[in-house]
Amino acid sequence: MNKFCTNCGHPLKPNTDFCPECGKKVDQIEYSQPSRQIYKDQTHPKKGYKKIIAVIGIVVAVIASGAAYYFATNQNSVQEATAKITGHSTNPSQSMSKRVSKLKVSSLTLQQKNAAVMVYAAMKYKDRNWQHLIENGQSHKVDAINDHPQVIIDAENNRNGLTDYSIQPSGAYRIFSYRSTLGEATINEIIEYINTHNYENMVNQLSENIRLKEDND
């Protein structure tokens, strides 16, 4: 049987008087197997991973908060931009008080039809040229120049010829922005869109500033 120190478990050579590891006298040492005792110098599992998990949790929380703030701010910016063009308040109670009666195709004037096309093109297609035209049309006169079948709509303070439409044989309105086709819609579809989105008041206001002209005027 091998000889081991009963105090620390260190193996001992024959005829050793003292344990070279802990210094205990050999005459107090018995023959034994290595001790299964867990000694003080044994390495204990580290708990640093708990701190790492905590840090990761904080980082994730900060990122989530930042993302929520960004989307909330971006949504507010979109609403404010729309309110600026349409004149609609982002406050539902204020919007309700300003609503007017729905538009009817059968009772539209030519000025209202042109105003409806302006609003539809600006809001449906989010086109900047038509949006800019509406902004100008709220405080300046707008000329709807009929060039059969094309109609060019320009604000008197910014005549650039970028916004126009043509009435197709089918009756559909083909809407353009700087020579690019945005889409087609019948007057019924245009008015339905405006009534659904509560843009009637804007159409009526714009129509008051629209002047109808022929190409040879």
Side-chain angles (χ1 to χ4, degrees), residues 91-136:
N91 186 324
S93 61
Q94 294 180 5
S95 297
M96 288 292 293
S97 64
K98 293 183 179 181
R99 288 181 182 175
V100 296
S101 59
K102 300 298 182 181
L103 298 177
K104 295 181 179 180
V105 175
S106 59
S107 59
L108 292 177
T109 65
L110 289 177
Q111 287 87 345
Q112 286 177 312
K113 286 183 179 180
N114 281 282
V117 172
M118 289 171 59
V119 174
Y120 182 82
M123 307 311 295
K124 171 71 173 179
Y125 301 116
K126 303 294 188 295
D127 182 75
R128 190 67 192 101
N129 290 325
W130 286 94
Q131 290 176 352
H132 189 57
L133 177 63
I134 288 180
E135 292 172 3
N136 288 327

Side-chain angles (χ1 to χ4, degrees), residues 99-209:
R99 288 181 182 175
V100 296
S101 59
K102 300 298 182 181
L103 298 177
K104 295 181 179 180
V105 175
S106 59
S107 59
L108 292 177
T109 65
L110 289 177
Q111 287 87 345
Q112 286 177 312
K113 286 183 179 180
N114 281 282
V117 172
M118 289 171 59
V119 174
Y120 182 82
M123 307 311 295
K124 171 71 173 179
Y125 301 116
K126 303 294 188 295
D127 182 75
R128 190 67 192 101
N129 290 325
W130 286 94
Q131 290 176 352
H132 189 57
L133 177 63
I134 288 180
E135 292 172 3
N136 288 327
Q138 291 174 340
S139 56
H140 296 82
K141 293 295 183 180
V142 174
D143 292 331
I145 305 172
N146 193 345
D147 191 19
H148 304 289
Q150 184 182 22
V151 178
I152 301 173
I153 305 180
D154 265 338
E156 64 179 356
N157 65 319
N158 186 31
R159 300 184 186 281
N160 51 33
L162 300 180
T163 47
D164 60 290
Y165 69 89
S166 62
I167 301 178
Q168 304 302 300
S170 63
Y173 286 62
R174 181 174 294 174
I175 302 172
F176 302 92
S177 175
Y178 193 54
R179 301 186 181 89
S180 297
T181 303
L182 298 178
E184 287 187 14
T186 65
I187 190 63
N188 289 289
E189 291 171 336
I190 292 173
I191 298 305
E192 180 182 2
Y193 175 87
I194 289 170
N195 287 335
T196 300
H197 292 81
N198 301 315
Y199 295 146
E200 309 93 327
N201 192 49
M202 180 166 56
V203 169
N204 290 330
Q205 290 177 351
L206 287 171
S207 66
E208 295 176 359
N209 285 339

Side-chain angles (χ1 to χ4, degrees), residues 17-32:
D17 293 329
F18 294 93
C19 174
E21 182 67 20
C22 66
K24 188 174 180 66
K25 290 183 179 181
V26 173
D27 58 357
Q28 297 176 353
I29 298 175
E30 301 175 353
Y31 287 97
S32 65

